[in-house]
Amino acid sequence: MQKILMVVGSLRKDSFNKTVAEQISTQLVAQGAEVTFANIADLPLINQDIEFPVPSSVMTFREQVQAADGLWIVTPEYNEMIPGGLKNALDWLSRPTEAGVFGAPDFIMNKPVMLTGAGGKKAAKVGLAHLKTLLTFMGLKPNDNLVGLQIPTSAFMTGKFDLDSEQRAVITQQVTEYLA
């Protein structure tokens, strides 16, 4: 059974990307994977003054990443970049786990990551490309299949995003690829 840690880049309680992550999670669980959601909203801003001893929320996040066989990040883009909360979480993840030991921890090296995002007209694709570059730099192994979904204008008015059949099919294909 594959253990997958789902990381949602939006901190909003009812975010559209959380809706997408839940759809993905449902499909993964249906195919036998174990899915856990990380809570990055509780992470303090990265600050070397509080790095050792590490804050408990950071320790929990790192332990979740370490226990997972892979990560799945579902995120919007803000101004064609990744959201600050997600960047902060990744910065904490890339930091040493022991004082005086430099470099990213071994447990993130070559860990597979699938990337999906939902956004406006550009479907979060610019932010996903930046995210892939960052993850590669950090030593993780992002999949080449970046899936960006366009949120219809009506969703921004109603606050509800229902994936259409084409979007669900793309997600199904991504899930199949990830589990292979």
Side-chain angles (χ1 to χ4, degrees):
M1 174 185 308
Q2 287 193 44
K3 295 180 180 178
I4 301 166
L5 181 64
M6 190 72 65
V7 180
V8 179
S10 173
L11 303 181
R12 190 167 68 87
K13 185 178 115 185
D14 295 321
S15 79
F16 299 135
N17 281 271
K18 185 177 178 190
T19 298
V20 173
E22 288 166 349
Q23 290 270 335
I24 294 167
S25 175
T26 299
Q27 289 190 33
L28 288 167
V29 169
Q31 293 194 39
E34 180 182 315
V35 179
T36 305
F37 278 76
N39 179 8
I40 64 170
D42 291 341
L43 300 176
L45 291 176
I46 184 103
N47 178 344
Q48 286 181 305
D49 291 339
I50 62 169
E51 194 165 21
F52 300 106
V54 68
S56 63
S57 59
V58 174
M59 179 61 76
T60 298
F61 179 55
R62 286 178 176 168
E63 288 170 350
Q64 287 179 310
V65 171
Q66 190 167 9
D69 296 315
L71 307 176
W72 198 310
I73 300 175
V74 183
T75 186
E77 65 180 22
Y78 298 160
N79 298 317
E80 296 191 346
M81 297 298 274
I82 63 172
L86 177 58
K87 176 67 166 69
N88 184 61
L90 295 173
D91 287 342
W92 274 115
L93 198 56
S94 73
R95 299 294 299 161
T97 56
E98 288 181 54
V101 177
F102 300 99
D106 289 342
F107 66 84
I108 69 167
M109 294 301 159
N110 294 309
K111 189 163 294 254
V113 186
M114 190 61 90
L115 303 175
T116 307
K121 290 180 183 176
K122 295 183 182 178
K125 289 182 181 178
V126 179
L128 290 173
H130 288 294
L131 179 56
K132 181 181 178 193
T133 299
L134 172 62
L135 294 171
T136 301
F137 173 79
M138 289 173 57
L140 291 126
K141 191 175 180 182
N143 190 288
D144 288 331
N145 184 10
L146 311 179
V147 170
L149 306 171
Q150 186 174 2
I151 300 168
T153 305
S154 61
F156 292 103
M157 304 305 236
T158 64
K160 187 168 171 49
F161 176 36
D162 294 317
L163 280 72
D164 62 30
S165 59
E166 184 178 313
Q167 291 170 325
R168 283 193 295 279
V170 170
I171 293 296
T172 299
Q173 180 182 9
Q174 197 179 27
V175 166
T176 301
E177 180 180 341
Y178 188 85
L179 292 176

